[in-house]
Amino acid sequence: MLVWILCISTTAALVATSLQLFFDYRRDVSELEQGMRYIEQNQLPGLADAAWNFNVAGMQVQLDGIGHSTWVAGATIHYGPSQSAALTTGQVDPDAGRRFEYVLRRNEVVVGKIYIAPNLHTLYGRTLDRIGIVLATQGGKSLVTSISILLLISWMITRHLTQMAEFAKSFEPGKSFTPFVLRRSPRTPHDELTVLVDGFNDAYGRLQKAHEFQVRHNEILSQEVALRTAELLDAQQTLAKLAVTDKLTGTVNRLGLDEAFKSAMTLADPDSHPLAVILSDIDKFKSVNDNHGHLAGDSLLQEFTGILSRVVRATDTVGRWGGEEFLILCPQTTLEQALHLAERLRAGVQAHAFAEIGSKTSSFGVAVLRKGETSDDLVRRADEALYRAKEGGRNRVCPETPAIVS
Ligand SMILES: Nc1nc2c(ncn2[C@@H]2O[C@H](COP(=O)(O)OP(=O)(O)OP(=O)(O)O)[C@@H](O)[C@H]2O)c(=O)[nH]1
């Protein structure tokens, strides 16, 4: 900034100085012309007298008098018949650009001619002196003025702007916001800087508020998203449960049984982790529908599965295999244990008094997983056992057909 101030003030000083020097020079030229007029009016008549009288010594004295004038460098007078004689004082350079020429007359008769060479050295010397003085004083003035202005600007403006820049740099949205305060006397009148700081604080205040609003908005959004996510998870879980649940009985459906089979089959091992299946079917169920109505049949199915679910272990899975046929998947269960469980179920059903219908019986087929078998093989053998239970007169438990050992 100092460079700019210096450049501008120096240029201004140079322009002013040039103008001043130009007018001074014009004044000097005018002084020189006045000096010549003075010589013409006051000294040349005496010289003309001396020339009329051929008073050579008088002419020389007069001429020297002219030559001593400040503005005269030298002079030459031509006199006598045809002005053939000449006297000179000072330095008269015939090639010098400017010279003053006067015709000397006495009684209307030309008695001589005088050439006066102006003292241009004085003129130029004065001008050069002035240039030196003016340049030195103006340069010094410019320097002092520039430094003063710079110090003033620095004290009154720059230091505040620097503090504002530091404040702006340290501003972090969300952190506590204290408005920027100018470090100067509180008695300082309301000026442009005050207006700037007010606008600055206002802008940062609004920025802070916008940030707080954004944060709050984000929090609300996050809570909304969390709520919706929880609802979605709930809905997803409900859907997943519904997808594997039989609507009427609340037991798992065929799809649920498939999944239960998948995980049970990965853990099952006929030698160490036996897996048993009990397939049960309500006896003469069609007659319930026929005699008591379909709704009574539905209720019977619900009560029937209630008995099954109450008797089996938590690790067992009761599922609707289809119609009035139910499958119980029993991990870690041997054939004997499964037969025992089936017998308990059968007895439980038989002992139960079903609403509207009274007593009802059911038949059971039991099988355990053999080496190399699939779940379909296992269910097929349990189904065969159930078929035999039906064939055998119902209300009984039949085990799988023993394996044929070759
Ligand atoms: N109410 C009701 N009845 C059903 C449902 N699913 C299947 N059924 C009925 O269950 C009956 C099954 O009859 P069947 O297959 O002849 O067997 P059953 O009468 O039990 O005779 P057995 O099994 O030989 O003892 C059919 O009449 C089906 O309509 C159900 O969800 N609700």
Side-chain angles (χ1 to χ4, degrees):
M1 191 185 268
L2 178 63
V3 175
W4 276 104
I5 293 172
L6 266 176
C7 285
I8 292 168
S9 61
T10 305
T11 309
L14 277 178
V15 171
T17 305
S18 305
L19 282 173
Q20 188 185 334
L21 287 173
F22 174 73
F23 289 118
D24 284 351
Y25 174 76
R26 289 286 302 275
R27 203 183 60 222
D28 285 347
V29 169
S30 151
E31 263 183 48
L32 185 144
E33 286 167 354
Q34 270 179 14
M36 290 302 158
R37 272 196 297 280
Y38 177 82
I39 290 169
E40 187 185 7
Q41 288 163 7
N42 299 299
Q43 290 177 283
L44 291 190
L47 193 62
D49 278 349
W52 171 264
N53 295 319
F54 287 105
N55 180 357
V56 176
M59 275 194 289
Q60 189 61 58
V61 169
Q62 296 277 352
L63 205 57
D64 288 343
I66 292 169
H68 280 112
S69 168
T70 317
W71 295 110
V72 176
T76 301
I77 179 168
H78 295 270
Y79 65 95
S82 313
Q83 285 144 30
S84 51
L87 285 174
T88 300
T89 188
Q91 288 180 341
V92 182
D93 182 0
D95 300 326
R98 188 163 187 193
R99 65 179 189 171
F100 293 84
E101 189 179 321
Y102 301 98
V103 176
L104 301 174
R105 287 190 174 83
R106 181 76 162 79
N107 300 332
E108 302 301 323
V109 176
V110 173
V111 293
K113 220 177 207 176
I114 184 167
Y115 299 100
I116 301 173
N119 190 350
L120 295 176
H121 288 297
T122 304
L123 185 69
Y124 296 148
R126 274 189 177 196
T127 307
L128 280 176
D129 285 350
R130 272 199 207 102
I131 289 175
I133 291 166
V134 167
L135 275 184
T137 53
Q138 289 291 348
K141 240 195 280 176
S142 296
L143 192 67
V144 170
T145 312
S146 303
I147 291 173
S148 306
I149 291 173
L150 186 75
L151 288 175
L152 208 64
I153 290 175
S154 169
W155 176 252
M156 294 186 72
I157 300 171
T158 315
R159 72 183 177 115
H160 298 302
L161 293 182
T162 310
Q163 284 163 10
M164 283 171 78
E166 278 164 13
F167 176 88
K169 260 193 243 164
S170 66
F171 176 78
E172 273 181 47
K175 272 193 171 178
S176 69
F177 171 70
T178 316
F180 179 79
V181 180
L182 282 168
R183 283 185 216 155
R184 59 181 186 175
S185 166
R187 288 196 302 275
T188 310
H190 207 79
D191 57 5
E192 296 84 352
L193 217 52
T194 321
V195 175
L196 177 68
V197 169
D198 286 350
F200 185 78
N201 281 332
D202 186 46
Y204 275 98
R206 273 186 281 134
L207 202 66
Q208 181 76 355
K209 279 210 181 77
H211 176 75
E212 282 165 9
F213 175 79
Q214 188 67 48
V215 169
R216 183 80 200 105
H217 188 66
N218 285 351
E219 277 173 12
I220 293 171
L221 271 183
S222 301
Q223 285 168 2
E224 194 72 16
V225 168
L227 194 72
R228 293 278 172 269
T229 309
E231 282 175 3
L232 267 177
L233 277 174
D234 267 6
Q236 206 178 11
Q237 281 169 2
T238 308
L239 270 179
K241 204 174 168 200
L242 281 176
V244 295
T245 304
D246 175 57
K247 195 181 168 195
L248 177 68
T249 60
T251 61
V252 297
N253 59 15
R254 188 69 179 258
L255 185 67
L257 279 174
D258 284 349
E259 284 180 9
F261 255 117
K262 256 185 224 157
S263 74
M265 288 295 284
T266 55
L267 298 171
D269 179 346
D271 296 329
S272 54
H273 297 90
L275 176 66
V277 157
I278 302 170
L279 211 52
S280 72
D281 188 282
I282 300 169
D283 296 333
K284 306 272 184 207
F285 182 69
K286 188 173 179 302
S287 64
V288 176
N289 278 339
D290 293 346
N291 299 329
H292 302 276
H294 210 265
L295 285 178
D298 284 352
S299 300
L300 178 73
L301 287 173
Q302 286 166 339
E303 284 181 67
F304 178 74
T305 50
I307 296 166
L308 299 188
S309 300
R310 274 195 299 279
V311 175
V312 299
R313 298 169 305 179
T315 48
D316 298 335
T317 305
V318 177
R320 192 170 183 183
W321 189 247
E324 86 294 11
E325 207 170 304
F326 292 87
L327 186 146
I328 301 144
L329 191 61
C330 309
Q332 297 285 16
T333 309
T334 60
L335 182 63
E336 287 70 31
Q337 289 168 329
L339 285 169
H340 181 69
L341 174 61
E343 182 49 37
R344 279 178 60 213
L345 292 172
R346 188 203 63 74
V349 170
Q350 189 178 18
H352 185 77
F354 291 92
E356 282 189 56
I357 295 125
S359 76
K360 200 74 189 144
T361 61
S362 54
S363 301
F364 296 80
V366 183
V368 285
L369 186 70
R370 293 177 186 169
K371 275 231 178 281
E373 261 192 347
T374 63
S375 57
D376 288 346
D377 297 334
L378 177 59
V379 174
R380 183 181 43 76
R381 286 191 300 101
D383 195 40
E384 285 167 4
L386 174 62
Y387 179 76
R388 284 201 307 281
K390 290 278 182 186
E391 285 296 296
R394 296 184 174 83
N395 190 24
R396 66 193 59 215
V397 175
C398 271
E400 62 183 16
T401 318
I404 300 162
V405 183
S406 55

